[in-house]
Amino acid sequence: MHEKGGAVPALRVSTLTRSLAALALAGLASGAAHAQSTVTLYGSLDGGLRNLVNGTKTGGAALTMASNGVYNSNRWGIEGKEDLGGGYYARFVLEAGFVLSTGANNNTNNQIFQRTSTVGIGGPFGQIDVGHQYTLQHFVVKDFEPFDFHYLSITESTAVSGGTTGRDDNDINYRGIFGPWVVRGEYAPGGVPGSVAHGSTLGGGLNYHTKTIKLGAGYTHKSNPLTATSSQYFANDQYTAGGAVTLGPVDVMAGYSLDLQDTPASARSMTRNQYLWGGLRYQATPFFNVTAAYYDDKNKTGGVDGRKGVAIIGIDYLLSKRTELYADIDYTHFTGVYVTNATLNLSGHQKQTGISFGMNHWF
């Protein structure tokens, strides 16, 4: 017997201490299991040379450093994900572009995260991201874009994906994966007081995936402001469809996109852009592949036609898991009003031939 108020036996103290420590560790482990989080820094650096015959108004060749990324856009980003438990998670992405040769931001507005800035949540229902991000059409088309959105300054992929450089502001993007089906939805409010539709974007899409076949289709409706300060707006509808077939080491793909945009009432007309493209990828070895594609853009505005055709062949060789060498040769042909369109054709020549080569490293 121990006297009341006497010392607690050493054995009991030791047992109690171990029990409390075990409970504390169990609590920490339980919390970690439901609140694991990761933050990843990633990026891509692309540099090389590009020579464009008829790249100047005088007809000479334009030799430039591919410091904005001919093959892949130069970027760096931060991606984070937190496990909320029960199959749910929270995520964010902040991504910025830069010019390799000067280190400057790759935009005229000096925005930092002008490529992507989103926060979202995901779970068994799918994933929802909110912010500045790729358009719904971008995700739909990715399955059957021959160059997988590489060589964006040469191909017509950015124009097909729509938005501002292929992205939308104030965007709510949904993706749900249900077996082989991927359901997509997009809504971007215009943010104009007194009008829900003004400046808004609304779209839906569907992709189907198997080991050998990929199919996709999407529709987007935009209510574009007439001017930056106008309360009037006009409709812009885009319809996209395409697919890809895998035959051993070869992927064959093709796509179609029709963009219909009302013009101001004074013009009494509609701008019609029709895009057709097709191509193939050949994975010759695990380290070397060849891709060839053709893109056609036919435009009609107010009864006036313009056309742009681009044929391109590119090769890619992996030096390691993170470093690759690339090269391409491409031919562009302008007809109609596209010949004198200073936005699409700075040199004003009908035919241009380009050669690019460089190195891309990502981390």
Side-chain angles (χ1 to χ4, degrees), residues 1-159:
M1 294 289 293
H2 297 281
E3 295 182 3
K4 186 177 180 180
V8 180
L11 179 59
R12 184 179 299 177
V13 172
S14 177
T15 302
L16 180 61
T17 302
R18 288 197 298 270
S19 299
L20 290 173
L23 285 172
L25 289 173
L28 289 173
S30 176
H34 294 287
Q36 295 179 4
S37 61
T38 59
V39 176
T40 303
L41 175 67
Y42 67 92
S44 172
L45 298 94
D46 186 297
L49 293 175
R50 175 166 174 77
N51 189 65
L52 184 63
V53 177
N54 280 341
T56 66
K57 291 185 179 297
T58 58
L63 180 64
T64 58
M65 178 179 176
S67 56
N68 284 336
V70 168
Y71 176 75
N72 205 11
S73 301
N74 288 309
R75 74 196 75 169
W76 68 273
I78 306 170
E79 181 177 13
K81 187 175 182 180
E82 181 184 16
D83 182 5
L84 302 177
Y88 292 87
Y89 58 88
R91 67 188 299 268
F92 76 88
V93 179
L94 295 172
E95 187 175 286
F98 61 92
V99 180
L100 186 67
S101 59
T102 65
N105 287 334
N106 186 19
N107 63 89
T108 57
N109 299 324
N110 202 32
Q111 294 174 264
I112 298 179
F113 300 113
Q114 89 284 16
R115 290 185 56 87
T116 301
S117 56
T118 62
V119 64
I121 189 169
F125 67 91
Q127 180 175 296
I128 297 176
D129 293 303
V130 179
H132 176 73
Q133 58 191 311
Y134 286 115
T135 65
L136 177 141
Q137 295 289 358
H138 171 95
F139 294 112
V140 169
V141 168
K142 187 174 175 62
D143 278 349
F144 45 91
E145 207 296 290
F147 280 96
D148 193 23
F149 290 104
H150 293 117
Y151 297 108
L152 287 177
S153 62
I154 302 170
T155 71
E156 291 295 286
S157 302
T158 298

Side-chain angles (χ1 to χ4, degrees), residues 155-236:
T155 71
E156 291 295 286
S157 302
T158 298
V160 171
S161 62
T164 304
T165 64
R167 299 171 181 84
D168 282 328
D169 291 330
N170 309 313
D171 190 53
I172 304 170
N173 198 298
Y174 168 76
R175 181 195 68 183
I177 301 176
F178 307 98
W181 297 95
V182 182
V183 180
R184 304 185 186 279
E186 177 184 31
Y187 174 64
V192 178
S195 176
V196 176
H198 190 284
S200 65
T201 299
L202 183 65
L206 194 66
N207 286 95
Y208 177 77
H209 296 161
T210 69
K211 290 184 178 180
T212 57
I213 297 177
K214 293 181 179 179
L215 302 172
Y219 166 74
T220 301
H221 173 82
K222 293 178 179 291
S223 299
N224 293 324
L226 187 60
T227 65
T229 58
S230 173
S231 60
Q232 295 180 302
Y233 57 90
F234 53 95
N236 181 191

